[in-house]
């Protein structure tokens, strides 16, 4: 993909749909009824087209074509199983699970469908259900040693999760406190043989500089890692600022200042470097706001998060970071960050990262300070200014949630879970239909344009800027302009073929959209550090 960037006006909308279309309602498909030979042949033709689109990584189009094939022949289990796999590529695990269920119903001996269902359950953090399907596969194929190995690894993962929960109940020392104790004990000094960039210190206390960041970037590009002591200092240096912030952070954009909102980057370090060459670094005239999901999937998540935290430590008033659903233990365990952190810097370092992730703010309110040139029917703040609610996921399963409710959420030390305001802020997605619907992911909900409009009116919000989903053009303007999705990981997991984008906001609330392509990176596959050999299930 080209490295050329481009800008566009706010009126441009992406040319591709935001996700695959909802599943056809089963009660409209006449399941089990006779299907004509003509309909079967048309379904096969559509299936061949869908297969071709899938092979080309055009997953949205593949899902549409499989859906059309299903409408012609809803009794063909392979169509449901193929669409399940396509939706897994789109991270629509809730939809994919339903498709795999239907494939199993149509053909109770369909091994691939059970495997798809097991994979979906792993993705939505239900490993116990995955084990049930692995056992079913082994009853059908007793010699399938690959599945047997995956079942054993999954059972080990379940025991590990249960052990970690037991430790949490017993109470474990705050990782920040423990790391500081280890430093005081002299057990985390920089090795004398280290020859990389030097973090400066004064009176025994380290501090961050732009020169160190620049040298650190080159060190990372050379494929090298920082000493554990420096890692801890950077994470704790950023933590000291996050910990003092409320769950909703206010950022005012004064005249002459701009703020770039960056979507998911998912450990794609070389794309982040390209992105920063377009945005520029954070400065007093130019703020950066990273909207969650800095880690997981990409195999340079440590490099990405250390770069972001270094900027936060150096420029706390110019660098902002929201929490995403992947800044969470269960996701890090599944999608690679835990394995990467432990591989590069050890167990205690991962515990430190995991705790500091809980201190990241849940949302940021970006407010213009100058009135807009024209109102254009925009919803304005009580002061007559444009302002944007920037959050990783989206809105809520209930009406009436206020900015003050969000500001007061107790987040430190807590995981998002699968329900409640924190979960919904990090997990929900927009839908085209009015009202609220089930999540295509299997976690959270989907919210319609009427929900968005009512919430923006209630809180005096000009628009919601969220991330959380791949957009082929890097961004998508939805819900009559009130909801914009921005995604900043081009060619996501080396197969998305999507562009990345970021949004620049100025002091009047004007927005500019910049798209960019993927950059070359060293030959390391995504999720290279997924633990226990389960990476094949995660891709």
């Amino acid at each position: 993909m080209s490295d050329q960037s481009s800008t566009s006006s706010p009126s441009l909308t992406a040319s591709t749909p935001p996700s695959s279309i909802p599943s056809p309602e089963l009660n409209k498909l006449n399941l089990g009824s006779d299907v004509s030979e003509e309909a079967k042949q048309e379904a096969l033709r559509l299936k061949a087209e869908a297969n071709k689109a899938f092979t080309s990584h055009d997953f949205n189009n593949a899902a549409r074509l499989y859906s059309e094939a299903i409408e012609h022949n809803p009794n063909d289990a392979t169509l449901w199983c193929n669409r399940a796999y396509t939706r897994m590529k789109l991270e629509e695990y809730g939809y994919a699970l339903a498709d795999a269920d239907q494939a199993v119903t149509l053909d109770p001996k369909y091994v691939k469908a059970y495997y798809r269902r097991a994979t979906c359950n792993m993705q939505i953090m239900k490993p116990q259900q995955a084990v049930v399907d692995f056992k079913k596969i082994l009853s059908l194929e007793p010699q399938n040693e690959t599945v047997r190995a995956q079942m054993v690894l999954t059972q080990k993962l379940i025991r590990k999760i249960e052990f970690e929960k037991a430790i949490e109940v017993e109470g474990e020392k705050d990782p920040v406190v423990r790391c500081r104790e280890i430093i005081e004990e002299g057990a985390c000094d920089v090795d004398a043989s280290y020859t990389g960039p030097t973090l400066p210190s004064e009176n025994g206390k380290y501090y961050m500089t732009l020169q160190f960041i620049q040298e650190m970037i080159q060190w990372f590009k050379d494929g090298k890692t920082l000493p554990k002591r420096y890692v801890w200092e950077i994470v704790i240096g950023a933590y000291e600022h996050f910990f003092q912030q409320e769950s909703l952070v206010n950022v005012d954009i004064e005249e002459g200042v701009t703020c770039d909102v960056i979507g998911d980057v998912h450990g794609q370090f070389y794309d982040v470097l390209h992105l920063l060459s377009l945005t520029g670094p954070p400065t007093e005239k130019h703020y950066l706001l990273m909207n969650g999901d800095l880690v997981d999937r990409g195999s340079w998540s440590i490099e990405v998060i250390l770069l972001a935290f270094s900027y936060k430590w150096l420029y706390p008033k110019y660098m902002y970071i929201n929490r995403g659903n992947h800044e969470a233990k269960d996701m890090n365990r599944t999608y690679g960050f835990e394995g990467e952190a432990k591989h590069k810097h050890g167990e205690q370092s991962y515990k430190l990262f995991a705790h500091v992730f809980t201190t990241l703010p849940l949302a940021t309110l970006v407010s213009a300070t100058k009135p807009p040139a024209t109102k254009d029917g925009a919803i304005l703040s009580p002061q007559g200014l444009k302002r944007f609610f920037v959050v990783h996921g989206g809105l809520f399963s209930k009406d009436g949630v206020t900015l003050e409710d969000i500001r007061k959420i107790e987040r430190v030390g807590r995981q998002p879970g699968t329900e409640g305001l924190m979960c919904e802020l990090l997990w929900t997605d927009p839908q085209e239909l009015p009202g609220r619907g089930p999540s295509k992911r299997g976690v959270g909900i989907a919210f319609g344009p009427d929900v968005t409009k009512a919430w923006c009116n209630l809180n005096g919000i000009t628009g919601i800027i969220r991330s959380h989903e791949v957009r082929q053009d890097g961004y998508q303007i939805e819900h009559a302009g009130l909801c914009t999705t921005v995604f900043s990981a081009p060619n996501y997991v080396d197969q998305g073929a999507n562009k990345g984008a970021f949004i620049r906001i100025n002091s009047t609330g004007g927005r500019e959209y910049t798209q960019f392509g993927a950059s070359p990176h060293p030959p390391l596959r995504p999720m290279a550090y997924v633990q226990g050999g389960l990476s094949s299930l995660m891709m």
Side-chain angles (χ1 to χ4, degrees), residues 188-196 198 206 219 227-230:
C188 192
D189 290 341
V190 178
D191 193 286
S193 64
Y194 171 69
T195 59
T198 302
Y206 286 105
W219 189 250
K228 186 186 299 183
R229 176 63 179 276
Y230 286 2

Side-chain angles (χ1 to χ4, degrees), residues 248-252 363-368 375-391 394-396 401-404 406-407 425 447 449 451-466 478-484 505 509 511:
L248 175 64
V249 172
N250 292 330
V251 175
D252 295 331
T364 301
L365 187 64
V366 178
S367 301
K375 292 184 179 180
D376 297 325
I379 300 170
L380 303 178
S381 72
Q383 294 75 32
L385 303 172
K386 287 187 176 182
R387 58 182 185 175
F388 303 92
F389 181 71
V390 184
V391 64
L395 297 182
F396 312 98
V401 176
T402 66
L403 297 177
E404 197 59 29
I406 297 164
R407 200 181 308 278
L425 284 164
F447 59 96
V451 175
T452 300
K453 185 174 182 179
W455 190 84
C456 288
N457 275 315
L458 173 68
N459 289 285
I461 298 295
T462 306
I464 297 160
I465 298 176
R466 43 90 62 181
E478 307 168 68
H479 291 187
L482 291 177
C483 181
T484 301
I505 303 172
R511 285 158 287 171

Side-chain angles (χ1 to χ4, degrees), residues 16-24 54 58-67 80-101 116-117 119-125 297 325-326 331 335 427-432 438-446 466 468-472 478 485 492 537-539:
T16 52
S19 69
S20 69
I21 59 176
S23 301
F54 185 95
D58 186 359
F59 301 125
N60 284 295
N61 197 35
R64 178 185 62 79
L65 289 164
Y66 285 130
S67 297
W80 294 92
C81 191
N82 285 9
R83 190 172 70 173
Y85 192 34
T86 306
R87 287 177 155 171
M88 288 158 59
K89 292 294 187 181
L90 292 164
E91 300 190 6
E92 297 178 348
Y93 303 116
Y95 285 174
L97 195 60
D99 284 351
D101 279 341
R116 299 280 182 256
R117 191 163 72 179
T119 305
C120 287
N121 277 312
M122 289 293 292
Q123 300 276 10
I124 62 174
M125 298 161 288
R297 294 203 178 271
N325 67 305
H326 277 266
M331 303 301 279
Y335 292 97
W427 274 97
T428 59
D429 298 297
Q431 65 179 21
E432 294 181 10
S439 168
K440 61 187 172 226
R441 298 174 187 270
V443 181
I445 58 131
R466 43 90 62 181
H468 195 39
E469 292 181 278
V470 180
R471 292 294 191 256
Q472 287 305 114
E478 307 168 68
T485 298
Y492 180 45
L537 281 171
M538 300 299 113
M539 286 294 286

Side-chain angles (χ1 to χ4, degrees), residues 139-152:
S139 73
L140 295 168
E141 295 184 352
Q143 305 305 315
N144 193 327
E145 294 305 318
T146 299
V147 168
R148 190 179 304 280
Q150 289 176 332
M151 183 182 73
V152 170

Side-chain angles (χ1 to χ4, degrees), residues 491-510:
N491 195 29
Y492 180 45
V493 292
D494 289 350
Q495 60 181 279
N498 60 290
K499 292 181 180 178
F502 65 90
I503 304 173
R504 178 163 294 177
I505 303 172
N506 64 27
S507 62
T508 64

Side-chain angles (χ1 to χ4, degrees), residues 526-537:
M527 292 187 286
Y529 299 96
V530 170
Q531 295 173 309
L534 289 170
S535 58
S536 61
L537 281 171

